[in-house]
Amino acid sequence: MTIAADIAPHIPYLRRFARALGGSQASGDSYVVTTLEALVADPSTFPRDVPARIALYRIFLKLWSSMPANMAQISRAPLRAGPVERNLDALTPRPRQAFLLRTVEGFSLEDVARILDVDVAAAEDLIGRAGREIAEQVATDVLIIEDEPIIALDIETLVKELGHSVTGIARTHKEAVGLVTQRRPGLVLADIQLADGSSGLDAVAEILQSIDLPVIFITAYPERLLTGSRPEPAFLITKPFQPDAVKAAISQALFFGRNPERQVA
């Protein structure tokens, strides 16, 4: 297949990435056009030892990073109005790239490393830095709804490592609702099956009636949410979980400020 045929399906997504990275449609699209022009001028720059999507993003970012202004820590606030855009502005360039590749474009950690031309450990470090930078700007109070003490302690440690505070740990529906009335959280991490047989889903549904906030479900029973019969949560982690997965989900939930879980109830 030709390079054009290989990359054609991926160009719309590259435009999405470029716009998020550059702060405007015009800026992002212009860099995509420049990337395509560079490929036309010299097709040999297109690596054939990696999948086409990875190769396309790699070439784009090499071009992007060759522009000193793009790698400088400059404010693009006038181009951005919403909370997501303001959050993105505060990230330094390389962590911003890694974060967007992982969370928006859905690349694996290994693929992020290949696109950025670094090893996996370095890619993981960049994403971790993005998480810490996000935490500094959107640090919040977190309610943990989890009936297993050891797991709850592990989650609490991860939350605090990101710079957030924990309002409390609830083991039942009643405890969760009670803790919210005492101190309103900015994020909820919830299990589904709770200590007394009550439901974390029901607890979250009641909480969301009075507070608009993101929710991350951490559960050994993802099939109870992934039924396809109703709107499903954007942030769902399966037990046993990887600590980095929890940290990434927390950063992503607060960064994008979404609350699709309101529809899960």
Side-chain angles (χ1 to χ4, degrees):
M1 295 180 66
T2 65
I3 293 176
D6 285 341
I7 67 175
H10 309 300
I11 291 175
Y13 303 101
L14 181 66
R15 284 201 294 264
R16 174 183 62 187
F17 175 72
R19 292 170 183 178
L21 196 61
S24 73
Q25 178 175 336
S27 172
D29 287 355
S30 69
Y31 276 98
V32 172
V33 169
T34 301
T35 300
L36 298 179
E37 290 174 344
L39 283 174
V40 170
D42 186 3
S44 67
T45 61
F46 188 77
R48 287 294 190 177
D49 58 338
V50 295
R53 186 173 182 230
I54 292 175
L56 180 62
Y57 279 72
R58 180 192 290 178
I59 290 172
F60 172 84
L61 280 176
K62 283 185 177 179
L63 174 67
W64 174 272
S65 300
S66 70
M67 305 296 180
N70 291 336
M71 297 304 290
Q73 180 63 11
I74 59 175
S75 171
R76 295 182 175 85
L79 298 176
R80 303 171 179 272
V84 172
E85 290 78 7
R86 289 194 296 270
N87 290 343
L88 184 59
D89 284 330
L91 294 184
T92 46
R94 290 285 277 180
R96 178 190 301 182
Q97 293 172 10
F99 181 78
L100 289 174
L101 288 170
R102 186 78 176 94
T103 62
V104 175
E105 300 305 312
F107 284 105
S108 68
L109 184 61
E110 291 75 14
D111 287 345
V112 171
R114 288 199 282 180
I115 291 169
L116 296 178
D117 200 19
V118 297
D119 59 32
V120 171
E124 188 173 18
D125 180 66
L126 286 170
I127 295 170
R129 282 171 55 190
R132 291 189 293 273
E133 290 177 13
I134 291 168
E136 289 175 1
Q137 57 183 302
V138 293
T140 192
D141 296 327
V142 179
L143 171 63
I144 299 171
I145 306 175
E146 170 60 61
D147 64 331
E148 294 289 342
I150 299 300
I151 296 176
L153 181 60
D154 286 342
I155 296 173
E156 181 179 22
T157 300
L158 295 175
V159 167
K160 290 181 176 179
E161 285 178 353
L162 284 174
H164 307 295
S165 60
V166 175
T167 63
I169 298 174
R171 300 181 67 247
T172 66
H173 177 158
K174 183 176 180 180
E175 287 180 7
V177 174
L179 285 172
V180 168
T181 62
Q182 296 173 26
R183 184 177 171 188
R184 293 167 66 96
L187 172 70
V188 172
L189 304 181
D191 193 1
I192 292 178
Q193 187 69 45
L194 303 181
D196 60 352
S198 60
S199 168
L201 284 171
D202 292 340
V204 166
E206 185 169 344
I207 290 168
L208 291 178
Q209 289 177 5
S210 58
I211 306 176
D212 184 11
L213 81 175
V215 177
I216 300 171
F217 287 102
I218 305 177
T219 177
Y221 306 99
E223 66 278 1
R224 298 188 185 182
L225 289 173
L226 301 177
T227 63
S229 61
R230 58 181 177 179
E232 297 170 350
F235 306 110
L236 176 62
I237 296 174
T238 303
K239 294 179 179 176
F241 57 79
Q242 294 295 321
D244 287 339
V246 177
K247 290 182 178 180
I250 291 172
S251 296
Q252 187 177 6
L254 293 173
F255 182 89
F256 290 103
R258 290 184 260 179
N259 187 25
E261 288 77 10
R262 177 180 292 282
Q263 303 173 347
V264 174

